[in-house]
Amino acid sequence: EAGVAQSPRYKIIEKRQSVAFWCNPISGHATLYWYQQILGQGPKLLIQFQNNGVVDDSQLPKDRFSAERLKGVDSTLKIQPAKLEDSAVYLCASSKRQGGTGELFFGEGSRLTVL
Amino acid sequence: SQKIEQNSEALNIQEGKTATLTCNYTNYSPAYLQWYRQDPGRGPVFLLLIRENEKEKRKERLKVTFDTTLKQSLFHITASQPADSATYLCALDLSGGYNKLIFGAGTRLAVHP
């Protein structure tokens, strides 16, 4: 079974520029997550989708971050404009179950450096 | 406020010994708790899940305990090997069943030959 695919793996941009990250979850997984992991910290949940609806986006800085999941499959996370403090690894994860407990399958992450 | 605490200091142990990692939480009542392993430059990988009504869970050399009175989970690796060296993250479900996981900062384990 193919894992969670993310791209790009690395991105370097200047502050105030924009960037987009793409995620393709494991086939058939209903729930998709975007986490932000700053160096030395644990992953912080930004947004959780159930199929193509948003379950939780309470931690998403909506003035600069946006995310969508079209047709309940792929997802994109956009940052516009980027700030220095957005430098982090952006992890996408998916889980099989619609609600209930279940392990998360993570991608390798997209490392963003904002200069 | 809600908080998840894991040992911030790295844990250094000798090969063959048992490693014990701690996850403490405050102001949560999680329905379950999960442990993940994360290697440098990689995404976290799921290891074990334990529910609030379970005291202990085992998988090969791994053992997890969950004490909802103490608000603590312990993660044990027996007969540790250098290949076990990684950062270990605990994660709590805050959503009462919607699989919304909040992660601790992780503890780095180094197993020396």
Side-chain angles (χ1 to χ4, degrees):
Chain A
E1 164 178 81
V4 175
Q6 290 189 246
S7 68
R9 284 297 312 275
Y10 305 94
K11 189 75 177 177
I12 301 173
I13 60 173
E14 302 276 336
K15 61 183 178 184
R16 291 187 289 272
Q17 287 186 322
S18 63
V19 63
F21 301 112
W22 172 82
C23 173
N24 181 231
I26 293 173
S27 177
H29 280 198
T31 309
L32 185 147
Y33 309 77
W34 283 101
Y35 282 86
Q36 178 194 58
Q37 188 172 27
I38 293 171
L39 189 64
Q41 299 181 19
K44 172 188 166 187
L45 180 65
L46 293 176
I47 189 166
Q48 178 179 350
F49 293 94
Q50 186 96 306
N51 297 309
N52 57 347
V54 175
V55 173
D56 189 297
D57 63 357
S58 57
Q59 300 268 62
L60 188 73
K62 298 179 187 66
D63 57 334
R64 298 182 301 104
F65 287 63
S66 65
E68 61 180 6
R69 189 182 185 195
L70 298 175
K71 300 181 182 177
V73 183
D74 293 6
S75 177
T76 55
L77 175 72
K78 296 179 182 176
I79 308 174
Q80 181 178 14
K83 292 186 175 181
L84 297 177
E85 59 260 36
D86 298 331
S87 294
V89 175
Y90 291 86
L91 294 163
C92 178
S94 67
S95 70
K96 190 183 299 185
R97 298 173 186 269
Q98 290 203 23
T101 62
E103 65 182 279
L104 268 59
F105 294 82
F106 282 87
E108 300 285 48
S110 295
R111 181 178 297 275
L112 173 65
T113 302
V114 182
L115 302 176
Chain B
S1 65
Q2 300 170 325
K3 199 189 262 190
I4 302 171
E5 288 183 339
Q6 296 188 252
N7 311 53
S8 56
E9 299 285 325
L11 180 63
N12 290 282
I13 64 167
Q14 250 356 81
E15 183 176 7
K17 301 292 185 184
T18 296
T20 298
L21 285 67
T22 306
C23 177
N24 294 300
Y25 58 93
T26 58
N27 298 325
Y28 291 132
S29 294
Y32 60 91
L33 186 150
Q34 299 186 16
W35 283 88
Y36 287 77
R37 170 185 172 139
Q38 188 172 26
D39 291 286
R42 310 294 296 274
V45 174
F46 172 79
L47 296 174
L48 280 168
L49 180 154
I50 186 165
R51 299 176 193 281
E52 60 179 339
N53 60 350
E54 297 175 314
K55 295 293 185 191
E56 183 179 296
K57 204 82 170 279
R58 291 176 186 261
K59 179 182 173 183
E60 297 172 354
R61 295 184 295 111
L62 308 181
K63 184 178 88 171
V64 172
T65 62
F66 192 10
D67 188 325
T68 55
T69 301
L70 291 179
K71 294 188 181 295
Q72 180 181 79
S73 175
L74 298 178
F75 177 80
H76 306 272
I77 306 175
T78 58
S80 59
Q81 305 165 1
D84 296 325
S85 299
T87 295
Y88 292 85
L89 301 160
C90 72
L92 278 62
D93 169 42
L94 295 189
S95 57
Y98 285 93
N99 222 27
K100 173 183 168 181
L101 292 185
I102 305 300
F103 284 81
T107 298
R108 190 161 57 85
L109 172 67
V111 181
H112 302 283

